[in-house]
């Protein structure tokens, strides 16, 4: 097992852009106001476990239901594309649901906000390009960063301000659009051959 810091950094940045925890600070703050308290440790841990489990069994699970990785990646590219559109254009495409304090840390925070379709698809795509141990380190680094952001979301909001968060959200939205296009282009070729 040899760790490659370039792969770790690249995988970390791709996951960081897809998860967009900084861009989700307004959603986290809103969720905190609705339910009163979010268990940061629980949300981070559950999201990390979901991502690592999917990294190992995701491909087998897809094969079991008759879906190849390329089809899943193309579908994921659309999901990432729409998430990016929400970020860049400031629109909402998904329906908000009511949550209570007991479930808010798991749903919608750990899943699907952190470990959602975009990050799961990205993990499968990263697995095709990078060594699995490097991806696991990148996931763990993201989970640590997510935990820090969840714990300090109110302070982050005060430091960045509403405009700062909007700018960061739009920048990561453009990065996500590029990732979606790359993911789509790379996998549609395999489906058409």
């Amino acid at each position: 097992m040899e760790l490659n810091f370039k792969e770790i950094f690249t995988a970390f940045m791709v996951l960081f852009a897809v998860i967009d925890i900084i861009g989700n600070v307004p959603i986290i703050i809103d969720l905190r106001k609705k339910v009163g308290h979010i268990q940061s440790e629980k949300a981070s841990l559950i999201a990390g476990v979901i991502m690592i489990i999917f990294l190992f069994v995701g491909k087998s699970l897809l094969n079991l239901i008759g879906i190849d990785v390329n089809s899943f990646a193309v579908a994921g590219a659309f999901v990432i594309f729409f998430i990016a559109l929400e970020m860049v254009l400031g629109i909402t495409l998904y329906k908000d649901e009511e949550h209570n304090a007991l479930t808010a840390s798991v749903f919608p925070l750990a899943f699907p906000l952190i470990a959602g379709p975009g990050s799961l698809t990205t993990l499968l795509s990263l697995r095709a390009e990078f060594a699995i141990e490097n991806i696991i380190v990148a996931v763990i680094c993201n989970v640590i960063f997510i935990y820090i952001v969840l714990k300090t979301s109110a302070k982050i909001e005060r430091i960045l301000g509403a405009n700062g968060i909007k700018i960061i959200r739009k920048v990561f939205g453009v990065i996500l659009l590029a990732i979606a296009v790359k993911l789509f282009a790379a996998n549609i070729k395999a489906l058409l051959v």
Side-chain angles (χ1 to χ4, degrees), residues 53-152:
I53 288 173
F54 195 81
L55 183 63
F56 286 101
V57 300
K59 189 173 180 183
S60 303
L61 186 66
L62 292 176
N63 289 339
L64 184 69
I65 55 176
I67 299 171
D68 60 283
V69 174
N70 297 111
S71 299
F72 188 76
V74 167
F78 283 114
V79 172
I80 294 170
F81 180 80
F82 289 121
I83 291 169
L85 279 182
E86 283 186 343
M87 293 166 67
V88 173
L89 301 176
I91 57 174
T92 303
L93 298 172
Y94 70 92
K95 182 184 172 203
D96 244 351
E97 296 176 5
E98 289 298 314
H99 310 288
N100 63 45
L102 296 172
T103 61
S105 297
V106 178
F107 184 85
L109 197 52
F111 181 85
L113 201 61
I114 299 168
S119 54
L120 298 180
T121 303
T122 303
L123 283 170
L124 285 184
S125 302
L126 290 172
R127 188 169 179 183
E129 294 180 46
F130 301 135
I132 202 153
E133 61 269 14
N134 295 328
I135 300 169
I136 291 170
V137 172
V139 168
I140 292 168
C141 290
N142 265 291
V143 168
I144 292 167
F145 192 80
I146 288 163
Y147 171 74
I148 292 167
V149 170
L150 290 176
K151 273 292 189 200
T152 61

Side-chain angles (χ1 to χ4, degrees), residues 1-21:
M1 182 173 100
E2 190 178 316
L3 295 179
N4 179 326
F5 291 103
K6 185 181 178 206
E7 283 191 8
I8 292 168
F9 181 74
T10 304
F12 172 82
M13 287 308 294
V14 169
L15 280 171
F16 183 77
V18 172
I19 295 168
D20 183 36
I21 196 66

